[in-house]
Amino acid sequence: MNDVTIDAESRTSQVTAAMKGFAHEIGALSAFRLESCIHCGMCADACHYYIATEDPQYTPIWKVEPFKQAYKREASAFAPVFRWFGFKPAVTAEQLAQWQHLLFDSCNLCGRCSLICPIGIDVAALIEQARHAMFDAGLAPEELYRKAEHQQRTGQPEASLEPYREQLRGIGEQFGIPLPIDANEVEVMLCVPRTDIEHYPAAVAALGLVMQHLGVSHTFRSDALVAENYGYYAGGKEWQRAISLRLIEQAIACHAKVLLIPECGHAYTALRWEAADLYGKELPFKVMAVTEYLALALAEGRLRLGKADIGSVSFQDPCQLDRKGGVTEAPRTLMKAMGLDLREMENNRSFSFCCGGGGGVVDIERAAPLRYRTMEIKLREIDATDGGTFLTGCSDCRHSFDDAKRHFDWDKTPQSLLELVAKSLAPPRAAL
Ligand code: SF4
Ligand code: SF4
């Protein structure tokens, strides 16, 4: 929780201001969403937290209940009636503090509930807005708050012994692959998931290798290396904006036509769908996920792939790329081109379950026991496919599954689709 030292009186006025702000800023669309729920409960059956626990508190629409209360009291058509007769009491700091668990620890912002709602309520969008109010009330989880604050100030979510720029240079030298930094007049600007810098350097090298294969001018920018946006996770809208602006300004500075999002689902959402809104005007470049960029290059004959020769695979559809981004067939096109025998999970494409780590949940330490419980649904589905190799298109998913491997002593090791593409380039360019 941020601002832990704040006194009770200040906390109450902070909460009151945050809830009033939420009620007045949600806009007509969200107000309509809050008003139109018919309490059918179908979103509960879509959410892996409810499915795993059968605990009603994990019903997605219940997660925004205090915000519905605040909206009705402050901004709905009958707000004065709700206030005068006390039908909707003011949301208290204690009530909101209890909701921290529901809005952060037990929601991946995966959007499966939104997909299922029969009257089209985007519950995940409401939860995202509720996170903004939680942040304003000083109730973002400490881990997310700390990383968001550090990232908006320095560009990195955490200090590292060696700055990411130097680590990137080291990865280039280790793999013998050029990873240009701070070039100008390029076609494509690249960034990296911090997860790759810290855990999967071969995935960073793979990105450089495929760009080299495509012969497209490209660069990383040392002021905007990190793809993830911890402001988005924490609910800090101004910090989310500042972090997005770093990338936007650097893409403009090097005149990139494409800002390429690596294997990182939430980075794609933050930049593809939310950055222009926060920037205030249309972005002067395209934002593309690496899989959709590569599928396009394949269709144009610029990407040449040989057979991967690893037999059957299963594939984790990252929620933010598939369900929220529509990047569904691109990874399948790449897998087909490499001759892979894809064994689909029972819930695949837009209906795929989250890896359990999305929305910053993997960073919240106290959330781990519940996260493991929900992940069992996913692990069972993966095992049921009989796919020999398990592939992901998101570094955060990969990190979550690696963590599950350790926790459950699971016999699968998640692999990166991008790394597999780099290994299958024809003719082979280098070993990863
Ligand atoms: S966004 Fe995902 S995790 Fe959050 S409530 Fe909806 S289904 Fe559950
Ligand atoms: S599925 Fe939609 S209408 Fe039904 S309870 Fe959930 S939010 Fe309300």
Side-chain angles (χ1 to χ4, degrees), residues 33 36-46 59-62 68 113-114 116-123 126:
R33 287 166 175 160
S36 52
C37 173
I38 54 170
H39 307 288
C40 67
M42 286 178 70
C43 53
D45 292 328
T59 300
I61 196 67
W62 177 251
K68 191 172 176 182
C113 49
S114 308
I116 241 80
C117 175
I119 51 175
I121 300 173
D122 189 347
V123 189
L126 286 172

Side-chain angles (χ1 to χ4, degrees), residues 3-148:
D3 296 341
V4 282
T5 55
I6 197 166
D7 64 56
E9 197 179 324
S10 306
R11 169 73 70 208
T12 300
S13 47
Q14 196 175 11
V15 166
T16 304
M19 297 312 280
K20 280 192 176 162
F22 171 84
H24 289 289
E25 284 171 26
I26 57 170
L29 180 59
S30 295
F32 166 75
R33 287 166 175 160
L34 281 171
E35 296 278 18
S36 52
C37 173
I38 54 170
H39 307 288
C40 67
M42 286 178 70
C43 53
D45 292 328
C47 178
H48 43 305
Y49 287 95
Y50 177 81
I51 296 169
T53 62
E54 295 189 354
D55 184 338
Q57 70 168 329
Y58 297 124
T59 300
I61 196 67
W62 177 251
K63 295 178 181 181
V64 295
E65 184 61 21
F67 302 90
K68 191 172 176 182
Q69 185 179 329
Y71 162 73
K72 292 212 162 191
R73 184 183 158 84
E74 304 293 344
S76 68
F78 298 104
V81 177
F82 285 124
R83 281 200 301 272
W84 287 336
F85 293 100
F87 292 151
K88 293 288 172 193
V91 176
T92 65
E94 294 71 31
Q95 185 184 1
L96 217 51
Q98 285 172 7
W99 247 260
Q100 198 188 49
H101 170 72
L102 297 180
L103 290 166
F104 289 96
D105 305 17
S106 56
C107 180
N108 301 112
L109 300 176
C110 76
R112 203 166 187 270
C113 49
S114 308
L115 183 73
I116 241 80
C117 175
I119 51 175
I121 300 173
D122 189 347
V123 189
L126 286 172
I127 293 173
E128 195 182 326
Q129 283 183 311
R131 281 194 182 193
H132 295 158
M134 292 292 279
F135 182 91
D136 292 344
L139 288 166
E142 197 269 336
E143 294 97 326
L144 301 184
Y145 181 88
R146 191 167 23 85
K147 285 178 178 141

